[in-house]
Structure formats: C-alpha cells, structure tokens
Amino acid sequence: MRGSILSATALAAVAVLGVGYLSLNVLDIDPRRDHAEITVPLTTSGGLIDTSQVTLRGFAIGRVERIDVERGGLRAVVRVDAAQKIPVDTEVRVSNLSAAGEQFLDFRPHSDTGPYLADGDVVDAADVSVAPSVSDTLAVAEALTREIDTDALGGIVDTVDTATRGRESDIDNVVEVLRLLSVTLADKKDEIRRLYRNLQVLGENAYADALGPRLADAVPELEASGAGLDHLISSYQDYSYVGETVWDGELARLVPKIDEYLSQLSPDLGFIATVLRPVTQPIRPLRVDAGALVTMLEQVFPRGGPARVAVTLPGN
C-alpha cells in the first residue's frame, strides 16, 4: 500500500514538473511576470499566425496573441514581457525565421532611449514592414519561370554548343589569357594602385589650379548665351515655317515655268552635232602631243628669266 502511494506521489510530482516546464519554457506562461499588449498594424499578415514569436533585436520577448481583421488592413496584438523596454522610435519587421517559412515579428529600435512602448500602445504603421514570405517568393518564382520561353532557351543552348564545338583549343587559349591577365593584375596591383592615385591627384590639381577657375569664368558667358541661343532656335523655327510656304507655293510654280522657257530657248544639241560631223571629219585623226607642247613652252618661257625666241634666217 505504501509503495502505491509513493508511486502515485512521484507520478504526480513528475506531472506537476512537466506542466510547469511546458508553461514556463514552451508556452512562456509565467504568473510572476508582467506582460504588455502592443498593437501592430499590418497591410498583410506576411505569414504571421497566433503564437508566432516576437523578438527584440532577435531576442525572444513574447508571442503574437491574435490577429484582428479590420477595414483597411490587419492588427496584430502581441503580448510581450513588460520588463523589456521597447523604445517608441522603433522599426517593426515581419521576417522569415528560417527557410521553412516560420514568420516572426521583430522590434528593431533606432536607439536605446525612451519614451518606451507601454501596455495598450499602437505602433506607427509607417514603421512596420513585412518581408515577402516563402510562399510569396515561390509564387513569384513560379510566375517568372512560366514566362521563360523554353524554345528560345533551347535555341540559345544549341547556338552556344554549335559555336564552341570543335573550338576547345581556342577556349583553352582564352582561359589561359584570362588567367595570365589576372596574374599580371595581381602582380602589378601596387603599381596600378599608385598610377590611379597619381592620376587622381593630377586631376584634382589640374581642376583646382587651371580647369576649375576657367570653368567658373565660362559660366556667366554660357548663361548669357542662353538667351541668344533660344532666339536663334526660335528664328530658325520661324524661317522653317516661311520656307515651307515658299518652296511649296511660289517656287513650286516658278521652277516649272523657268524650265519650260529654257527648253524653248535652248538649241537642239543633237541636230548641231549632226550638222558639224562632216566638217570635223578631217581633223579627227589629228592628235596633239601635249608633252612636246609643254616642253616648247618651257623653252620659250624659262623659269627665272625672260622669254626667248629663236629666229632662223634663210640660208643659215
């Protein structure tokens, strides 16, 4: 009888300890601890559910009590440890606890100074951000993959395969060139860094000593030329409107008339050539030696001297 009583007592003690452990550590129920309820407005739940974890800079301080649906959005009521001081100037972010998709609500204060959130306070909606959930990300990825044209992707793969087939040696050469380039850059990194710094200093000195003042002096001139440039553009625009009416109007009627008059006054060149053909027949075989003619002119008019003429007397 005494053994049964001891067994029942031990079983009851284990049960009490188990319930206490579950209440204190798992369910986070501690009758000795004061709690505060804070309302967080949400545009979307972001995957939050009742009992989702609430943290302060990643440290667990409570859980989501409930999510109320209201007109224009949602309101998450969180129950946090009142001993944890949460500044009013804080960001609230709903994020993924892991890749499996468990969401949690995290307070991220911008400072450690007060005032602090108290029981019944409502966080400013502008400070709340909801990260995309795993389900939302997968939905976007699925929509993106549906937009991919598999035929076009297959064509690109076939083109690359055709372009590289039988060119293994060339590809190896390209890889070797890139390797040597990387080795060269790694070996000459100090010289390259020094060259860049020298160019930077040179540019700064040139700008400060010469280029900067000259640009500053040119600013008033450029500003003054703006009005003249605007007037020039507007004048060209006006001239284009006038020229359009002139070319399409008056000149469009004048040019055909001038062509008509010239056609009536100009001689028939084909008839003139036919008439002159018998007269020019005897001189067609003649050829002019341009070289001999130039030589004779150089003898008559030598460079740097007077003209010379040779006269041959009869009998000499």
Side-chain angles (χ1 to χ4, degrees):
M1 182 67 179
R2 183 179 298 177
S4 299
I5 294 175
L6 291 177
S7 299
T9 303
L11 183 61
V14 172
V16 170
L17 291 176
V19 170
Y21 173 79
L22 292 175
S23 300
L24 295 176
N25 295 327
V26 178
L27 299 178
D28 197 21
I29 300 175
D30 190 352
R32 303 168 303 170
R33 184 187 305 168
D34 294 331
H35 293 85
E37 288 190 352
I38 301 173
T39 302
V40 179
L42 301 171
T43 56
T44 177
S45 67
L48 281 180
I49 59 174
D50 297 347
T51 70
S52 290
Q53 193 176 43
V54 177
T55 61
L56 175 61
R57 296 192 182 96
F59 178 75
I61 61 172
R63 294 186 180 276
V64 177
E65 282 290 304
R66 66 183 185 275
I67 298 178
D68 299 332
V69 180
E70 297 184 355
R71 180 177 298 178
L74 305 174
R75 284 181 175 268
V77 179
V78 300
R79 188 169 182 264
V80 299
D81 185 3
Q84 301 295 332
K85 301 298 184 181
I86 306 175
V88 174
D89 184 17
T90 181
E91 176 188 357
V92 181
R93 186 173 180 83
V94 178
S95 304
N96 297 321
L97 187 61
S98 67
E102 310 95 62
Q103 270 66 36
F104 72 102
L105 190 147
D106 186 30
F107 288 95
R108 302 178 181 181
H110 298 132
S111 65
D112 294 330
T113 59
Y116 301 101
L117 293 174
D119 185 31
D121 286 346
V122 179
V123 178
D124 189 357
D127 296 331
V128 180
S129 61
V130 179
S133 62
V134 175
S135 59
D136 295 337
T137 305
L138 292 176
V140 173
E142 182 183 2
L144 178 62
T145 55
R146 284 201 302 265
E147 296 297 327
I148 298 176
D149 189 350
T150 55
D151 294 336
L153 186 61
I156 295 175
V157 173
D158 293 339
T159 301
V160 174
D161 178 67
T162 304
T164 57
R165 189 179 304 164
R167 306 293 297 274
E168 289 79 6
S169 58
D170 297 334
I171 296 176
D172 293 339
N173 291 334
V174 172
V175 173
E176 181 65 16
V177 169
L178 294 178
R179 187 188 68 81
L180 294 177
L181 178 60
S182 63
V183 172
T184 303
L185 293 177
D187 183 59
K188 302 296 183 182
K189 61 180 180 180
D190 295 335
E191 288 78 3
I192 296 174
R193 187 181 297 111
R194 190 180 307 112
L195 176 62
Y196 173 76
R197 291 176 178 174
N198 293 337
L199 291 176
Q200 187 176 14
V201 173
L202 180 62
E204 293 176 354
N205 294 336
Y207 179 81
D209 297 339
L211 185 58
R214 298 291 79 78
L215 291 177
D217 296 338
V219 169
E221 301 295 335
L222 293 175
E223 184 178 2
S225 64
L229 182 61
D230 181 68
H231 174 70
L232 180 62
I233 294 175
S234 59
S235 300
Y236 272 119
Q237 186 176 8
D238 296 338
Y239 294 153
S240 65
Y241 294 151
V242 175
E244 182 180 1
T245 58
V246 170
W247 288 106
D248 295 340
E250 288 75 5
L251 291 180
R253 295 189 296 271
L254 178 61
V255 172
K257 284 295 183 182
I258 294 177
D259 180 67
E260 181 181 353
Y261 295 151
L262 292 177
S263 298
Q264 294 178 359
L265 296 176
S266 61
D268 189 353
L269 297 180
F271 176 75
I272 295 176
T274 303
V275 173
L276 293 178
R277 181 179 298 174
V279 179
T280 58
Q281 187 69 28
I283 63 175
R284 285 184 182 178
L286 297 179
R287 297 291 184 270
V288 178
D289 190 353
L293 181 60
V294 172
T295 302
M296 181 184 66
L297 291 176
E298 289 181 350
Q299 293 177 356
V300 175
F301 303 100
R303 298 180 180 179
R308 296 182 298 179
V309 179
V311 180
T312 302
L313 297 176
N316 292 334

